[in-house]
Amino acid sequence: MLKIFGFNKKEKVSIQELAVVYTKTLFEVIELGFTEIIEFVNDNRKFEESPNLKLEDTNWFLMIVFAANNHSLSNHFDDEVVHRLHHASLNELIGFFDMEEDLVRDMFLDYEEFFKEQYSEDISIEKAMAKSIFVKYNLNEFQGDLLKNQNEPNPVFLQELTDLMSNFIWNWSDYLAKYKVN
């Protein structure tokens, strides 16, 4: 009855709790979905030969997905929450890698900058993710000469990959309908 009048009780969650859920969920989605991305790219008929991506090639993909999702945080939170969530999720991410903390931090910040270069206001986050994958996995090398010389992804391939990337974007609308970040 309270929902009828616009009142609803949202569960409160701290930034640290959110960072753990956010990071863990993105890891799970990446772990489950990267195989589909590999199959899509390797079996794609738009390439002259298969890029032969392997499951071990997941780190670039993981960084692109995290950079894209962190890029969209400012669409849902004020600057202070974005900064705190970014820092807390980066600390969670550091625990995933078996590398020095500073090295992981620098690598992640580099990927965020790289993603910003791929993203512009006239394209979606998903398309910027697809372009990032195209560049990082050097997929241009597997295209026909015309597109290879233009250094542009096949538009059909790019759109199909863009559609797949929508599965790797955190759904803040649903989450924030149930939880309030404090």
Side-chain angles (χ1 to χ4, degrees):
M1 178 133 152
L2 290 176
K3 262 191 162 174
I4 293 172
F5 298 110
F7 300 109
N8 61 357
K9 183 90 170 157
K10 292 183 181 181
E11 186 177 331
K12 292 183 180 178
V13 63
S14 71
I15 296 286
Q16 187 56 44
E17 292 168 325
L18 176 55
V20 170
V21 169
Y22 172 68
T23 306
K24 183 179 178 188
T25 303
L26 285 178
F27 276 130
E28 289 171 2
V29 169
I30 291 165
E31 187 176 323
L32 294 171
F34 187 58
T35 304
E36 184 177 337
I37 300 299
I38 289 172
E39 290 172 2
F40 169 75
V41 171
N42 287 343
D43 298 338
N44 201 292
R45 301 177 88 186
K46 308 293 183 284
F47 294 121
E48 300 267 320
E49 62 181 274
S50 174
N52 289 320
L53 299 183
K54 297 179 180 24
L55 202 51
E56 302 84 55
D57 298 331
T58 191
N59 284 353
W60 286 347
F61 184 74
L62 182 143
M63 289 296 196
I64 290 167
V65 170
F66 268 90
N69 278 283
N70 281 352
H71 184 79
S72 70
L73 290 175
S74 60
N75 297 337
H76 306 283
F77 300 105
D78 65 37
D79 289 346
E80 181 184 339
V81 172
V82 169
H83 175 72
R84 291 175 56 211
L85 182 55
H86 184 267
H87 181 71
S89 63
L90 178 56
N91 286 336
E92 292 295 318
L93 184 66
I94 287 169
F96 173 78
F97 288 96
D98 188 24
M99 298 164 59
E100 290 183 39
E101 181 177 327
D102 289 340
L103 188 59
V104 174
R105 188 177 311 279
D106 290 345
M107 183 171 63
F108 185 69
L109 295 174
D110 287 346
Y111 268 87
E112 286 188 323
E113 282 303 312
F114 169 74
F115 181 79
K116 286 178 191 175
E117 291 171 10
Q118 305 308 308
Y119 178 78
S120 65
E121 294 302 320
D122 60 328
I123 67 170
S124 66
I125 294 278
E126 295 88 346
K127 190 168 190 174
M129 291 168 76
K131 286 176 65 177
S132 297
I133 290 167
F134 183 81
V135 172
K136 280 296 181 184
Y137 287 98
N138 202 23
L139 298 179
N140 190 51
E141 293 302 312
F142 303 96
Q143 297 192 109
D145 289 337
L146 178 63
L147 289 170
K148 187 186 291 187
N149 291 338
Q150 294 174 349
N151 197 25
E152 288 293 324
N154 179 302
V156 174
F157 169 80
L158 187 64
Q159 185 57 53
E160 290 171 349
L161 185 56
T162 297
D163 293 344
L164 286 173
M165 295 316 298
S166 65
N167 296 309
F168 297 92
I169 299 294
W170 182 276
N171 188 336
W172 286 111
S173 301
D174 284 355
Y175 188 84
L176 294 174
K178 299 174 187 164
Y179 298 95
K180 178 174 174 57
V181 179
N182 59 354

